[in-house]
Structure formats: C-alpha cells, structure tokens
Amino acid sequence: MSELSTIPTVLTVVGGNPDAYAQAVSRVEAALSSRREGLGPLAVDFFIDGGDVEPVKTALADLAVDFAIQPTANRRKGLLIADMDSTIINVECLDELADFAGVKAQVSEITERAMRGELAFEGALRERVGMLKGLGVAALQACYDERVKLNPGAETLVRTMARHGARCALVSGGFTFFTSRVAQAAGFHLNRANTLIELDGVLTGAVGDPILGKEAKLAALREETAALGLTPADALAVGDGANDLAMIEAAGLGVAYRAKPIVAAQADAKVDHTDLTTLLYFQGYKAEEFHA
C-alpha cells in the first residue's frame, strides 16, 4: 500500500494479547511520527500524514496482532458482505454433513483443495454433494444444532454495522438451510446460498442451479451496493477461501479471516490473531459503539 503514503492514512492495530499489543504500539511509535487514538482495550489508530509504511508492516509481522493500513476517508462501510463457512461460523457445513453420511475424510479433502483454489468451485461442490446422496434431511437440523456456532465477534460485527445503518449480507457457497439460520442468529439482513435438492425425505445428491460461487459473490457485492446507491468502495468483504477472492479484491476493504494463503496474499488486511470485532476497529468504531 505504498501508494497511500502521500494521502492521510490510518494504521489500525488490534492485539491478540496485551504483551503483543504493547510491543506493537512501541514499534509503531518508534518507526512513525503519528497521532494516536485509542479504540478499545487492545485496539488503537495511528494517523499518518506521510512516509513509508512498509517498515511498519515488517515490524508488526512477527507479533500476535492484526492490523490494517488504509485511507482515513470512507472508513465506515455501508455494506458488509460476508462468507459463512469458517468465517462467520466455526465449521464447513458440507464437511460436517459428510460426517453424518460417513464420508467426511473424502469430502474434507476436496473442500480443502477447493478453498486453496486448486479445484474449480462448481465441480468440487457437485462432487461433494453427490457423496451425500441418500442422507436423511433430518441430518441437516442435527448438524446445525450440534456443530454450527457463530465465530467470536460475529454477532457484534453484524449487529453493530446494522445499528449504524449498514446493509449486512451473508453470501455463501454453502446451503440456504444453514445460511437462513445463521443469518437470523447473527443479524444479517439477507442471505444467498445454494440449495440442496431433496426428495421423499432424503438428499438426492444434486444441488440447484445456478451454483453460487466466486462470480455470484462478486455479483452480490455489486448488486447490493448499487441498490444502496453506493459503489464497491463502500463495501467491506470478508472471507477465507478462494471463492471469496473476487469480492474481497473488489471491496473497498477486503479482509482475509484466518484465510488460505491465496486469499491472505490479496486481501487489504488479515485477521489471524483476534476476533471478528477487529473489522469494526478497522472501520474506526470504538468499543463503546459496539452492539450485540
């Protein structure tokens, strides 16, 4: 982000623990002349008027902190568009359904390769869903009840942005059975995902067309911002897998959450050490503005 060095820029640092946070603050203050403003117990903004920020990124790389460097203008976004599996929730729902069907090892291997960008998403999804053929639909609710949990900070992220006027969209390459429930639990305004086809109480092994993947996630970002009279620069996108990459690259703030290397390398910022409330700090929200 060296192109930001000539315009007003903010460096946000969020600590994974007090020691790492204290070290990070010390290193930033030693490297930069900047104004500092606290956001929360382990979160701070440094306002930078100029200079090379690359040495700061290097200085923070070995610490258990997450950070973002961005223009001070237009920090608070009008749209949150989020992936679901392994981002807003703790699991890959398809892998967990496969466990109920006795094929988790095979399905998880394909999921991992697709997430890393080694396989085309559509084909990988059809192959994995095909392995669920014959699974009773009651397993979906059991999977949700027993396996699915919101990741730390997810509900606070969504409800805080919604309270401050942002539109919040859950857009997943997974399935509507899960996105509808997760969206309600976290406070999203809408959800989009794929549909599992069932017949006589069992899964047929097919998924409804068209399949929602990388391009559909990007299309959702564009459609939702346009409907709000905004542009993609006014959006925050967060995800962890290769099918999230297009929307992360298009958004004004694209964040990789505990992501695969292909995603982390292209995102504006990463969250590896803290929880999803860090996305609020990146937008300049203070802890006292959080809502859950």
Side-chain angles (χ1 to χ4, degrees):
M1 288 197 175
S2 58
E3 70 273 12
L4 299 181
S5 61
T6 59
I7 61 175
T9 301
V10 60
L11 161 65
T12 308
V13 178
V14 186
N17 62 68
D19 288 343
Y21 176 71
Q23 289 187 62
V25 170
S26 177
R27 291 183 188 182
V28 172
E29 290 181 333
L32 289 175
S33 175
S34 59
R35 178 173 61 86
R36 171 179 163 183
E37 183 174 338
L39 297 173
L42 297 179
V44 63
D45 274 343
F46 293 93
F47 293 94
I48 306 164
D49 291 327
D52 187 2
V53 297
E54 292 300 320
V56 176
K57 294 163 71 172
T58 302
L60 297 178
D62 66 330
L63 296 176
V65 299
D66 295 315
F67 62 92
I69 302 170
Q70 58 187 316
T72 56
N74 196 30
R75 287 178 73 188
R76 291 202 178 185
K77 303 305 184 184
L79 173 71
L80 168 65
I81 184 162
D83 171 52
M84 181 179 71
D85 295 277
S86 298
T87 301
I88 294 297
I89 63 172
N90 60 321
V91 293
E92 294 287 328
C93 290
L94 183 45
D95 291 2
E96 299 308 311
L97 283 177
D99 197 17
F100 282 81
V103 290
K104 185 173 184 178
Q106 302 96 301
V107 168
S108 295
E109 181 181 3
I110 299 169
T111 298
E112 179 67 18
R113 293 183 63 197
M115 294 269 287
R116 293 197 302 257
E118 297 172 5
L119 298 174
F121 179 79
E122 181 174 326
L125 183 68
R126 292 189 189 280
E127 181 179 1
R128 288 175 291 165
V129 171
M131 297 166 75
L132 301 181
K133 184 177 181 179
L135 181 67
V137 296
L140 276 69
Q141 188 65 49
C143 180
Y144 179 78
D145 292 340
E146 298 171 16
R147 309 286 178 91
V148 176
K149 306 294 180 189
L150 294 178
N151 273 330
E155 185 175 2
T156 300
L157 167 65
V158 177
R159 296 195 185 278
T160 299
M161 290 189 67
R163 173 65 68 91
H164 287 84
R167 180 88 161 156
C168 299
L170 184 66
V171 183
S172 173
F175 309 112
T176 54
F177 181 91
F178 296 102
T179 59
S180 61
R181 289 159 173 79
V182 170
Q184 182 175 11
F188 284 93
H189 295 105
L190 68 136
N191 69 95
R192 299 187 186 185
N194 295 299
T195 304
L196 289 167
I197 306 300
E198 59 182 83
L199 182 65
D200 298 328
V202 300
L203 299 182
T204 66
V207 60
D209 289 319
I211 285 180
L212 191 155
K214 179 192 293 187
E215 293 308 316
K217 290 190 176 194
L218 176 60
L221 183 153
R222 290 172 172 164
E223 291 165 11
E224 291 301 325
T225 50
L228 295 167
L230 303 175
T231 72
D234 300 302
L236 187 163
V238 58
D240 70 309
N243 65 326
D244 301 314
L245 194 52
M247 71 174 186
I248 285 174
E249 289 181 316
L253 178 59
V255 181
Y257 177 81
R258 287 163 168 70
K260 301 304 177 186
I262 190 175
V263 182
Q266 300 299 319
D268 297 312
K270 299 182 294 181
V271 174
D272 291 325
H273 306 287
T274 58
D275 67 28
L276 286 164
T277 60
T278 292
L279 275 64
L280 295 172
Y281 289 131
F282 285 171
Q283 295 176 82
Y285 285 96
K286 294 187 176 182
E288 57 263 32
E289 298 178 272
F290 289 6
H291 179 75

